Amino acid sequence: MAHAAPALRARAGASRTPDIFSARTHRIARWAVPVALGLVFGYWAAANNRSGGPITGWNVLLGFVAAIVFAALWMAVADMAPRLPRELHAGLWAAFAGCAFGFLYSETGASVLRSTGWALAVAASAFVTAFYRYYTHEDAEGHRIR
C-alpha cells in the first residue's frame, strides 16, 4: 500500500537549503581549499615551465612561490569580494581567474600577445558566469537572498 510523503512545513528562516557541514568544517575549508588549489597551481606552473625537462631546484622554487602567491591572493579575493557590489565582485574574481590563467599559459613559452588574449577570454567568461550567479542570488540592493 502506497502512502503519500508528508508535506514539509515552511518555518521562518527555513527557505535556504540546509547546511550539512558544521561551522568548524567551514573554518577549515576557508584555509584548506586555497592551499590545495595553490599546490595544484604551483605544480602546474612548474610543469609548464620545465616543458617535460628535468626537475631542478629553481623549478621547485617556482612551483612553491606560485602556490603561495596563488593561495594568498585567493584568500584575499575571497575575503574582500563579498563586500563589493555585484559588478565589482564578479570583476574581482574575473581578474583573478584571468591573471592566474595568463600566468600559467605564459609559462608554456607562448607569446605575450597570445597569453594576454587567452587570459582576457578566460576573464570575460569568468565575469559573465560570476555576474550571472550574483545577479540571480541578490536582491535589488545587493543583499544575498537567503
Side-chain angles (χ1 to χ4, degrees):
M1 182 158 39
H3 295 284
L8 295 175
R9 296 182 189 189
R11 296 182 309 210
S15 62
R16 55 183 275 210
T17 57
D19 193 1
I20 59 173
F21 297 113
S22 67
R24 178 177 178 263
T25 304
H26 283 281
R27 279 193 310 273
I28 292 170
R30 281 189 66 83
W31 288 92
V33 168
V35 168
L37 291 177
L39 288 172
V40 170
F41 184 85
Y43 174 75
W44 198 346
N48 283 351
N49 181 266
R50 68 185 173 91
S51 300
I55 297 173
T56 63
W58 291 113
N59 191 253
V60 172
L61 180 65
L62 171 70
F64 279 114
V65 170
I68 290 167
V69 170
F70 181 89
L73 288 175
W74 178 290
M75 286 187 254
V77 170
D79 185 51
M80 187 177 19
R83 300 179 197 153
L84 299 172
R86 70 175 70 113
E87 295 84 5
L88 295 176
H89 188 172
L92 191 58
W93 279 111
F96 175 75
C99 289
F101 182 84
F103 174 73
L104 285 179
Y105 197 76
S106 71
E107 288 298 309
T108 64
S111 70
V112 173
L113 188 59
R114 191 169 188 175
S115 298
T116 304
W118 277 106
L120 287 174
V122 168
S125 55
F127 177 79
V128 168
T129 303
F131 182 77
Y132 176 78
R133 186 201 183 275
Y134 302 137
Y135 187 78
T136 58
H137 288 79
E138 293 177 354
D139 61 9
E141 285 90 34
H143 302 105
R144 287 187 179 168
I145 299 172
R146 300 243 179 219

